[in-house]
């Protein structure tokens, strides 16, 4: 999200959030939450981490983190440019850029977590990561980085959910990024967990906590 939050381009490919699909699922009749209510659905600061950014609320396209993520993606030279927009919200689309959103980020000596909630005008969910985007290279700030991504068998959360684990090799050290996207009604939650090693079990636990908050604000 993004990004969804800001995109962690050096450590991981941009896939924090989810773009609307061509055939959106039926949406509930109740209105989706506004930005203030979305803020209430963000995770609290995890134990052992500190607040690094936010919470910031407002139109998704106007958020500082969104703009920084888009700038980072533009500056990176990808072998497969089409993968820059895979599995994330496209803030350049008016209906996405105007959507209410809330973003927060946490950090520690071992990594970071970035979470975003976006209230879409209609229920939507991204298509699976294209096969050609499972492995590709990029030049980021003069450094050659190789990204390899695999889908994770995460227990289903919300109305729809998906998770990936990406390994970024190159530069001074390797890094891993776990990415999760969950939809409940018209609200999309995206999360990036960055570290030297990201355990799927830890990612699933965070996703469960995030989904509990998401369920509370979308009732």
């Amino acid at each position: 999200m993004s990004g969804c939050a800001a995109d962690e381009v050096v450590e991981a490919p941009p896939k924090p959030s989810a773009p609307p699909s061509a055939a959106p699922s039926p949406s509930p009749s109740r209105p989706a939450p506004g930005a203030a209510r979305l803020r209430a659905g963000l995770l609290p600061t995890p134990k052992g981490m500190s607040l690094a950014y936010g919470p910031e609320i407002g139109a998704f396209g106007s958020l500082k983190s969104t703009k920084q993520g888009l700038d980072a993606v533009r500056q990176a030279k990808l072998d497969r440019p089409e993968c820059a927009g895979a599995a994330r919200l496209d803030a350049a689309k008016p209906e996405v850029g105007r959507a209410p959103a809330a973003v927060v980020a946490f950090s520690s000596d071992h990594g970071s977590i970035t979470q975003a909630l976006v209230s879409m005008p209609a229920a939507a969910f991204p298509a699976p990561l294209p096969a050609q985007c499972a492995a590709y290279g990029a030049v980021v700030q003069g450094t050659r980085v190789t990204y390899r991504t695999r889908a994770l068998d995460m227990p289903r959360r919300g109305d729809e959910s998906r998770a990936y684990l990406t390994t970024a090799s190159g530069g001074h050290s390797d890094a891993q990024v776990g990415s999760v996207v969950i939809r409940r009604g018209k609200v999309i939650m995206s999360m990036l967990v960055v570290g030297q090693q990201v355990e799927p079990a830890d990612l699933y636990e965070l996703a469960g906590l995030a989904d509990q908050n998401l369920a509370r604000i979308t009732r």
Side-chain angles (χ1 to χ4, degrees):
M1 276 214 136
S2 340
C4 39
D7 292 308
E8 301 285 349
V9 176
V10 175
E11 294 85 1
K15 42 175 77 72
S17 300
S21 62
S25 303
S27 60
S29 57
R30 62 184 180 278
R37 187 161 173 78
L38 291 175
R39 177 175 178 169
L42 294 170
L43 288 170
T45 304
K47 184 178 180 180
M49 304 190 80
S50 59
L51 183 65
Y53 168 82
E56 183 184 15
I57 63 173
F60 182 60
S62 71
L63 299 182
K64 178 181 177 181
S65 59
T66 303
K67 294 178 179 178
Q68 289 178 337
L70 290 173
D71 287 344
V73 170
R74 293 189 190 103
Q75 293 172 16
K77 298 179 180 178
L78 279 64
D79 294 346
R80 298 185 181 276
E82 70 274 15
C83 296
R88 70 182 184 91
L89 285 170
D90 185 359
K93 293 184 177 181
E95 69 274 17
V96 179
R98 292 194 298 261
V103 180
V104 70
F106 312 102
S107 64
S108 72
D109 293 338
H110 304 292
S112 65
I113 298 172
T114 304
Q115 183 194 22
L117 294 174
V118 183
S119 184
M120 298 294 291
F125 201 66
L129 186 73
Q132 69 269 24
C133 296
Y136 66 93
V139 176
V140 181
Q141 297 180 348
T143 299
R144 181 72 182 178
V145 181
T146 299
Y147 301 114
R148 293 183 174 83
T149 301
R150 64 183 176 92
L152 296 177
D153 189 21
M154 183 180 72
R156 176 171 170 170
R157 304 293 184 184
D159 297 324
E160 297 179 90
S161 60
R162 191 170 289 124
Y164 295 99
L165 183 63
T166 297
T167 299
S169 305
H172 300 295
S173 62
D174 294 351
Q176 286 191 322
V177 171
S179 58
V180 174
V181 60
I182 300 171
R183 179 184 71 81
R184 278 189 178 270
K186 298 178 183 178
V187 181
I188 291 176
M189 190 291 300
S190 66
M191 181 166 54
L192 291 176
V193 179
V194 182
Q196 187 172 4
Q197 185 173 4
V198 176
E199 295 294 339
D202 295 336
L203 188 66
Y204 300 164
E205 182 178 359
L206 276 172
L209 294 173
D211 188 43
Q212 289 177 15
N213 284 0
L214 188 60
R216 177 167 49 82
I217 67 167
T218 55
R219 284 176 186 157

